Each structure stands twice: as C-alpha cells, then as structure tokens.
Amino acid sequence: MASAELATVQEHGRAALERLGLPTRRQEAWRLTDLKRLEALARLPLSSAVGSSALPPAAAGVLRLVLDGQSDPLDGVALPDGMSVLSTAELEQVLGHTLDRCGCAGSWPVELNHASARQVLALRVRGVTHPLELVFTGSAGLTATRVLLLVEEKASLDLLQVLQSDVASAHSHVLEVHLGQEAQFRHGLLATADGQPSLMALLAVEQEPRSRYAFTSVVQGWNLARVEPRVVQVDGQATTELKGLAVSQADQQLATHTAVRFDGPEGELDQLQKCLAGGRSHAIFNGAIQVPRDAQRTNAAQLSRNLLLSERARVDTKPELEIVADDVRCAHGATVSQLQEDELFYLQSRGIAAADAAALLLRGACQEVIEHLPAAAEAWGPLERVMTGLSQ
Amino acid sequence: MIRPDAELLLDINDLHASVEDQPILKGVNLQVRAGEIHAVMGRNGSGKSTLSKVLAGHPAYRVTAGSVRYRGSDLFELEPEERARLGVFLGFQYPVEIPGVSNLEFLRVAANARRSKQGLEELDTFDFEDHVQEKLQVVQMDPAFLERSVNEGFSGGEKKRNEILQMALLDPVVAILDETDSGLDIDALRIVAGGVNQLATPENATLLITHYQRLLDEITPDYVHVMAAGRILRTGGRDLALELEKTGYDWVDKELVAQGVA
C-alpha cells in the first residue's frame, strides 16, 4: 500500500499524537522510561534518506526484503510460491485488526507509527514457504516501517527481522500478524545498534487455536529501545513461546514490555526474558499475562533472569499476572544477580583465566536465547554483535 | 604405589583455613608423592571438602596459616587457573551447570590451556574431536554429551563421568576427587572408578575425598587418612578404611575428647 491510501491513517495518527501528547511518568507503562530521550525521538524530522550498510549474503533459500521506509520493498522481487501481496481492499479490511485485539490500538508507539509510516508491507502466506528476512538499516531522522502478515490455516513461516543502525536516528516499527488455526510461525528479531539510535517496536500477534508462535528477540546497543511483543490467543488452545535477550551498556535504556492474553481455555505460554546490564545502563522488563475467566486450564510459565555486570547498572523486572480463571497453572520467577562465583571458579579450575571465564559465561548466557533465533540469523553473527556490545 | 624416593608432589604443612571467618581447617599435614593414591575420609563437616577447595583455590576460602608446596613451589602464589594448567585437578562434588556453553568447546578450551603449559600443541576443533573421542572411552561416555551445554540436565552419574573425562583430558599431576562417588549407583561407581584407575600412573597422584568405604573397593588406596575437626586424626593403610566400615566414626569422638579438642 503506498502513500495515497495511507493518507487517512497518517492524518488520524497525527491527530492522535497531538491529543495524547508525550507519555508521562504517571502512566504505569512509561513510569521508568527516560522521557527526555523519548521527547528527542518524537522531535526528529521524518527521514528522507535511505540507510545504507553492507549486508551479509542472505542464507540459501531465504527471501530477503529491505525495508527502508521510503521505497517499495517488493520492487523487482518475485515472491515465492505460497506468498502473495494483499490487495488494497483486503488490507483496508484487516489493517489494525490485530492491534485492536491485542489492546494496543491508540497507544503512543502505534500512533507514532501511524503518523509517520509511508507504506505497509502486507503479505499472505499459504502452505510452507521460503523463510523471510526483513532488514531495516537506520538513516538520520525518524523512519517508520509497518508490516502485516496473514499466515493462513496450517501454513508455516520463518521470519527474521533485522533492525540495525549506527547513526543518530530513530526507528518506529509496527508488525501485525494473524495466525490461522494450526499455523506455525517462528519469528526472530535481531535489533542491534551502536549506542546512539532509538527504537520503538511493537509486534502484535493474534493466534487462532492450535497455532504455534515462537518469538525470539535479541536487542542490544540502542540509546533508548522499547520492544513490545503483544500476543493474544483468541480462543486459547494455542502455544506461545517468548524468548528475549536485552544487552545494555554505557547509559543505554532497553525496555521489553510483553503482554500475553488468553481469550480461551488450554493455552500455553513458555517465556524466558534475560537482561545483561553493564555500565550505567538500565534494563526494564515488564511481563503481563492475562488469564480471564474463560481461560481455564491455561499453562503459563514466565522466567526473568538478569545479570548485573557493573555496580552502576540497573535492572527493573516486573511480572504482571492477572488471573481470574481458577483452574490454571501460572509459574513466574525473577532473579537478579552478578556472575556466579561458583561458575567462574569451575572454569578457572579448568585452566581458564578469570577474564576468559567471565566472557565464556556471558557468551553462554546470551547463547541460551540466541540459539532460538530462526536459522537465517546465523548469517548476521548475532552472538558476535551482542558480545561487541559487552566489550565496549 | 609407595616409593619413598618418588617425587614429593604435594607437601601440606600445618594448614589452617576459614570460610566466612569460621575456621574449618586447623592444622592439616599431608605429603603426597608421585605414584600414590590417598583416601581422605571423615564425616560431614570434618573439613575434607574444604581441603580440596583450598588446594584448588576457591575464592570463598581463606588460608590463615600454614603452607602448601606443589612440586617445590608455593601453591598459594598461584591463581586457580594457573594451578590447573600446572596439573592440579579438582573433580567437583557438585559440578556446575553452565547453560549456553557447549561441553565440547569448554573441554577444548580447558584442554588447550593445560596443553600449552605442557609444551604440547594446541588442538583445533577437528583434531580435538578425535582426541576427545579416544578419552570418552575412559568413562564409557556417550558422545552426545559433547553437544550439550556443560553439565546442563546431566544426571548425577553423567556429571561425575564428565568430571573424569575432564581429568582424562587435562592429564593432571595431582588429581583431587571430591566425593566423586556420592550419588552414584554401583554401575556408575564402577565406571568412574575404572576411569580413575586407568588414569593413575607412577608419575601422578590421586587424592580421593570420600565419605564411604565402597569407592575403596574399586580403587585401592596406598594411604587412608581420617579427618576430624579440621585435622588428620589418624593415618593408616587400606585396613583403616575397612575398620571404619565396621566400627563407624564413633571412636573419632572419643579420640577428639581424649585430645581435648571436642
């Protein structure tokens, strides 16, 4: 969908931003956010340039699309069997539907995206198709990208999103995905930066029964990042797996706000969020799980594990469980610690120097999440990207 | 094998050590020569595990008096990793799980740290895989364990086999095995003990820290030491372990009272 059809959406978005104003600390969801940085982000002019960066060759069989917020990512691309573009009429019908279902329509990050996005990449996926890779490279100013995917009944898709930037810039991204019954969606987000840029990414996923959604996010190096995976199991009976890693250094603030809602019985969630915070950085995790009355026999587990790598780093972690149904299993836990003396000693007692032992443990801590990224991620050297962040 | 003229590998003199300001070791004396197998027995809390951790250099333990010389040099001058590279090996009672770190890679880094100190060529990934396959047989370990994270999800027996595999790869001069027999069924115990027996040579020495006599049915010690209240109370041969099996540790209390310790 190009500029003309999005004009109304943009107008609404701009009006909404005016009305909403900037988020404030009085709003629970923004209580810990560095609002000065948010304000700076909101003031950036819309980018008119296209970010450039040498990209590694895509893995064999992977369809790579480059989203720059300006040009049509499908220009000159032949879509593989099983993947097609939504018509304007179809798009008008479905755009925003998943955001609504996930309860994030009208939120500030969404309106920011509406006000700024010049295009929507909207694809339908049938059957088993090639893995998809969506790449964004930042350029000066604010760039907004928006993607919508309809993964039909019994279809299967692997998606890797790479967001990267090494210039003072901001990126607003909104993704909507609808998973039909028995659909399988493996989704990776590799978002790395060099410390200057900001990122607002909202990823809304709607799951029909017996669908499976496995999401892995790896976030590192943004001045300010807010990554919000929002999942709703519309009739329960689906499987959701969320794995997250945030690695912050210097004075970065990286926030992950996840929300999973079970609008039906027998849903499953397995969630692991890890934060490694060094320097004077601040890592935030907020994990909401909503189990309304109808969501009997839900089985959910959430674990938040955090490593403080310096005395001045800070971690805020908060599970938010709203459980109304009475026949459910919901486990949650959070730990904040430094590298364990016993683990370091074990490695040292095998001849590994203290500094190398610490590096090995950090690699391991990251690898535990990174190994769940879709296979296409290997071409991007995710572990090296994250470890570069740690050795700064 | 006792040879009075064999090299003195470990010379522990009046060793005192504390953890969190609580004195645990109160004057340990022990000499270990090449070719010898020593068993250190004692009840829980007697200080035998502390002795093993102090020798390996665990940072939570503070040496307050006494000395340990390893092949003539001051052991406490060396960082834990340096001790390991020079051939001091500690087999852990509770091996640590390290998620995300592949066992194979860990073993390779560890083996290479030791090899470079021994003047041997470091092994790349491919050569190391061949090398490790050979060592796996020492403990009859399934190669699938190499692909997993270090000790993660291993059963008690698998963890202990992984310890002996590390011992095989690191080719230690002095191996200290801290309750390697705990939590093992009889089959696993035989495999682990068989590994230790295969690795014992006239050039190295083994210190078995154990609570029970049953490990000593599989590995024959040259010396048996009984620890109590942070010291070695009595030293004997293999018979001492058999006597302990019969009489239990009750006599220890009497002896401590007689010595005015308890």
Side-chain angles (χ1 to χ4, degrees), chain A residues 274 305 341-343 345-356 360-361 363-365 367-368 371, chain B residues 56-60 80-81 84-85 89-90 92 96 98-101 106 109-110 113 151 163 166 170:
Chain A
K274 298 181 95 171
R305 287 170 59 195
E341 193 177 67
D342 279 339
E343 294 180 4
F345 175 63
Y346 189 63
L347 296 177
Q348 281 180 275
S349 78
R350 297 301 180 251
I352 301 169
D356 296 337
L360 199 60
L361 289 176
R363 286 176 78 90
Q367 187 63 21
E368 209 187 349
E371 67 189 10
Chain B
H58 193 291
E81 58 265 35
R85 290 173 195 160
F89 177 84
L90 172 62
F92 281 57
V96 178
I98 309 178
V101 175
F106 160 67
V109 173
N151 293 326
E163 293 293 289
Q166 290 167 46
L170 295 177

Side-chain angles (χ1 to χ4, degrees), chain A residues 221-303:
Chain A
W222 302 82
N223 177 247
L224 175 73
R226 184 182 179 94
V227 175
E228 300 186 59
R230 304 287 190 121
V231 182
V232 60
Q233 295 192 1
V234 294
D235 279 310
Q237 297 175 67
T239 305
T240 309
E241 188 185 298
L242 303 178
K243 309 259 184 214
L245 170 69
V247 176
S248 58
Q249 273 299 104
D251 63 347
Q252 297 157 11
Q253 185 182 70
L254 305 185
T256 309
H257 295 256
T258 67
V260 180
R261 198 173 77 238
F262 298 91
D263 278 350
E266 291 161 14
E268 292 195 7
L269 167 69
D270 179 16
Q271 181 172 20
L272 171 67
Q273 175 68 29
K274 298 181 95 171
C275 298
L276 276 62
R280 289 163 288 131
S281 69
H282 185 187
I284 300 167
F285 171 63
N286 214 28
I289 299 177
Q290 295 171 320
V291 188
R293 188 175 306 281
D294 293 340
Q296 298 295 356
R297 298 175 299 285
T298 295
N299 189 354
Q302 180 191 75
L303 185 60

Side-chain angles (χ1 to χ4, degrees), chain A residues 97-351:
Chain A
H97 181 267
T98 301
L99 291 176
D100 264 339
R101 278 310 294 260
C102 293
C104 41
S107 71
W108 194 84
V110 167
E111 296 302 353
L112 174 75
N113 189 272
H114 283 177
S116 325
R118 295 185 171 124
Q119 52 180 242
V120 180
L121 172 68
L123 299 173
R124 181 191 303 281
V125 176
R126 284 200 177 98
V128 179
T129 186
H130 289 245
L132 179 63
E133 189 177 275
L134 299 177
V135 181
F136 169 83
T137 302
S139 61
L142 169 69
T143 309
T145 53
R146 184 156 189 197
V147 176
L148 183 144
L149 300 171
L150 298 182
V151 184
E152 303 228 311
E153 192 176 319
K154 294 186 179 164
S156 169
L157 177 69
D158 268 25
L159 167 67
L160 173 70
Q161 292 190 271
V162 178
L163 311 178
Q164 55 177 7
S165 186
D166 56 6
V167 291
S169 63
H171 184 201
S172 154
H173 179 71
V174 168
L175 170 77
E176 282 182 85
V177 181
H178 182 274
L179 298 184
Q181 296 198 8
E182 294 176 51
Q184 308 255 348
F185 182 35
R186 188 180 166 102
H187 180 199
L189 175 74
L190 177 60
T192 58
D194 73 344
Q196 311 173 68
S198 299
L199 172 68
M200 294 274 126
L202 191 140
L203 314 153
V205 177
E206 197 178 351
Q207 289 188 260
E208 298 283 350
R210 295 177 301 285
S211 63
R212 180 181 189 90
Y213 176 44
F215 177 59
T216 304
S217 65
V218 174
V219 181
Q220 174 265 328
W222 302 82
N223 177 247
L224 175 73
R226 184 182 179 94
V227 175
E228 300 186 59
R230 304 287 190 121
V231 182
V232 60
Q233 295 192 1
V234 294
D235 279 310
Q237 297 175 67
T239 305
T240 309
E241 188 185 298
L242 303 178
K243 309 259 184 214
L245 170 69
V247 176
S248 58
Q249 273 299 104
D251 63 347
Q252 297 157 11
Q253 185 182 70
L254 305 185
T256 309
H257 295 256
T258 67
V260 180
R261 198 173 77 238
F262 298 91
D263 278 350
E266 291 161 14
E268 292 195 7
L269 167 69
D270 179 16
Q271 181 172 20
L272 171 67
Q273 175 68 29
K274 298 181 95 171
C275 298
L276 276 62
R280 289 163 288 131
S281 69
H282 185 187
I284 300 167
F285 171 63
N286 214 28
I289 299 177
Q290 295 171 320
V291 188
R293 188 175 306 281
D294 293 340
Q296 298 295 356
R297 298 175 299 285
T298 295
N299 189 354
Q302 180 191 75
L303 185 60
S304 158
R305 287 170 59 195
N306 305 280
L307 268 181
L308 284 173
L309 305 177
S310 87
E311 283 178 6
R312 290 196 295 170
R314 177 176 162 196
V315 169
D316 281 279
T317 177
K318 188 171 92 172
E320 242 182 59
L321 277 61
E322 285 175 43
I323 303 170
V324 183
D326 49 15
D327 180 17
V328 298
R329 277 203 291 182
C330 282
H332 68 93
T335 60
V336 181
S337 65
Q338 294 166 320
L339 281 180
Q340 296 294 308
E341 193 177 67
D342 279 339
E343 294 180 4
L344 281 169
F345 175 63
Y346 189 63
L347 296 177
Q348 281 180 275
S349 78
R350 297 301 180 251

Side-chain angles (χ1 to χ4, degrees), chain B residues 61-192:
Chain B
Y61 296 81
R62 203 160 51 86
V63 174
T64 50
S67 70
V68 176
R69 300 197 79 77
Y70 171 65
R71 307 187 91 174
S73 38
D74 183 353
L75 186 70
F76 300 137
E77 287 291 304
L78 304 169
E79 292 296 321
E81 58 265 35
E82 198 57 25
R83 297 180 199 187
R85 290 173 195 160
L86 289 169
V88 177
F89 177 84
L90 172 62
F92 281 57
Q93 182 178 6
Y94 302 109
V96 178
E97 296 191 13
I98 309 178
V101 175
S102 109
N103 201 27
L104 185 66
E105 184 59 14
F106 160 67
L107 295 171
R108 190 175 75 87
V109 173
N112 277 339
R114 169 85 175 116
R115 288 177 71 88
S116 77
K117 205 73 185 181
Q118 288 174 297
L120 297 170
E121 192 189 351
E122 293 195 25
L123 299 174
D124 66 20
T125 317
F126 298 109
D127 289 342
F128 183 73
E129 282 197 37
D130 294 341
H131 182 60
V132 80
Q133 289 297 340
E134 197 181 298
K135 303 289 181 188
L136 282 172
Q137 291 158 13
V138 173
V139 281
Q140 301 171 31
M141 199 158 126
D142 182 344
F145 285 98
L146 298 173
E147 304 304 324
R148 293 167 54 176
S149 293
V150 180
N151 293 326
E152 193 187 28
F154 287 26
S155 73
E158 288 155 359
K159 283 181 182 167
K160 296 296 171 76
R161 286 195 212 189
N162 204 29
E163 293 293 289
I164 304 303
L165 174 63
Q166 290 167 46
M167 177 174 157
L169 287 164
L170 295 177
D171 184 23
V173 178
V174 173
I176 306 152
L177 303 177
D178 187 7
E179 307 227 7
T180 294
D181 51 335
S182 69
L184 296 186
D185 61 32
I186 190 68
D187 293 331
L189 180 76
R190 288 210 170 112
I191 291 168
V192 164

